[in-house]
Amino acid sequence: MSTVSAGIGFIHCVLPDKLVEVGELPEVPLLGREEAEFAGGSGVRTVGVFPDTPTAELAAMACREPAGGRPGERADILLLVAPRAPDVLLGSDVCRVQAACGFGPSFAFTVDGLGCAGSSVAWGLAADLLAADPSRERVLIAHASRPTGVDRVRYPVTVIGDGAYAMTVERGGRPVLRAHRVRTDGEFHDLFSVDYKRVPWYEWREECDSPDRYRFELAMRSRLELGALVDLVLTDAGVAKDAVTATVMQNVTASAYSFYESLLGLPIHPVCGEHLASYGHLGAMDVVLNLDRLLASGDVSGGDLVLVLNNSPVAAWAATLWEV
């Protein structure tokens, strides 16, 4: 990865005021016993809901209301982390966001096909884009989380909530991106799918080809890959594991935190479980929200190192080390 000094300019998260109890979701009475037990034991108490708001509009909303008084048009590039399903086929969601947030004529594109890991890939790519062209100062990254269809219970993975974020990676920003690694494995590309061509959108159902393959084969592979990536980013940064002040990851289920704590020997910061319980899984937004709230919590200060872990059942794995 590039050695350019790139860091975070701002993070702005948009979350719904409306929270719905998982047990009150309309699909819950229709779930089978195993699916219902999963939803009840996932660690998600409520999910946030933005009624009838397209994902592109949510992403644009996050860009239009940035913290720190930095409007989106000041960025050199707009990078959209793709939602679970595009608002339109053939058209361009990212160009819709570009127009809606007043980005103006420039360059906008989408990172797609990486699921939850998309945000981690995006900030690493943003740093590389800054390194590639000295005239660039700032990359704006945006994403919105909505369920693929009408159902929010994603068995055997998680329960989906709504949200959106905008953030910038820019020269001189802080936290500084110290080290970043990502891997993908195409063997799991078809583990999850939605038959969207033969049924209307309100009948879209996310199907898992093999729940056992997800829970065991992919889990064991994730254990190996994330463990190796953590070792690599720490080596890249020239620091030991005990130099890490805090670790955050994506929010899928409560049991995942203990799994990765045992694997890595690093405690997962409580802010992750708090957001999982209140908002559910927010896809690629999870790690951004968790990092933002960790930075605001007072639990880390200047010079501290924060490790951000991310993975998805595509499968993709990412580890990033930030210096506050």
Side-chain angles (χ1 to χ4, degrees), residues 8 42 67 91-93 95 102 115 147 161-162 166 204 218 228 245 259 285 301 307:
I8 295 173
S42 64
S92 174
D93 284 0
C95 288
D162 295 346
W204 286 0
L218 180 58
T245 303
F259 176 82
M285 180 179 175
S301 56
L307 182 65

Side-chain angles (χ1 to χ4, degrees), residues 56-282:
E57 177 54 35
L58 283 179
M61 183 189 308
C63 293
R64 288 195 302 262
E65 304 170 355
R70 298 170 180 262
E73 63 265 21
R74 290 185 55 195
D76 300 291
I77 293 173
L78 169 62
L79 203 168
L80 181 69
V81 179
R84 295 177 181 85
D87 288 340
V88 294
L89 295 175
L90 189 61
S92 174
D93 284 0
V94 66
C95 288
R96 177 179 178 181
V97 174
Q98 180 182 17
C101 71
F103 191 71
S106 186
F107 179 43
F109 69 103
T110 300
V111 171
D112 199 0
L114 298 172
C116 310
S119 290
S120 297
V121 171
W123 60 45
L125 180 57
D128 289 341
L129 288 167
L130 295 177
D133 186 344
S135 71
R136 295 174 182 145
E137 293 292 331
R138 183 173 298 108
V139 177
L140 175 65
I141 303 171
H143 171 73
S145 168
R146 291 288 303 249
T148 304
V150 295
D151 291 349
R152 295 181 179 274
V153 177
R154 184 187 177 192
Y155 175 81
V157 185
T158 190
V159 184
I160 303 295
D162 295 346
Y165 78 83
M167 66 177 289
T168 59
V169 173
E170 55 191 68
R171 298 183 190 279
R174 295 197 77 92
V176 176
L177 197 158
R178 284 282 304 272
H180 173 73
R181 294 274 186 156
V182 62
R183 287 179 179 170
T184 62
D185 185 346
E187 291 184 7
F188 296 92
H189 74 277
D190 58 352
L191 186 55
F192 291 87
S193 63
V194 175
D195 183 7
Y196 75 94
K197 289 188 175 182
R198 293 187 292 178
V199 296
W201 72 269
Y202 50 82
E203 293 182 7
W204 286 0
R205 298 293 182 272
E206 187 171 304
E207 298 179 0
C208 180
D209 181 64
S210 171
D212 285 342
R213 189 178 180 214
Y214 169 78
R215 286 183 294 224
F216 300 108
E217 184 178 346
L218 180 58
M220 291 303 102
R221 183 61 182 276
S222 295
R223 177 178 181 174
L224 293 173
E225 295 291 351
L226 276 178
L229 288 176
V230 168
D231 290 342
L232 284 170
V233 296
L234 294 177
T235 298
D236 290 342
V239 299
K241 187 178 293 185
D242 60 9
V244 175
T245 303
T247 302
V248 297
M249 60 179 292
Q250 84 274 22
N251 308 328
V252 180
T253 61
S255 61
Y257 302 133
S258 56
F259 176 82
Y260 286 107
E261 285 179 342
S262 174
L263 160 66
L264 301 171
L266 290 167
I268 305 302
H269 196 277
V271 72
C272 300
E274 294 167 8
H275 291 152
L276 173 72
S278 297
Y279 300 110
H281 175 52
L282 302 175

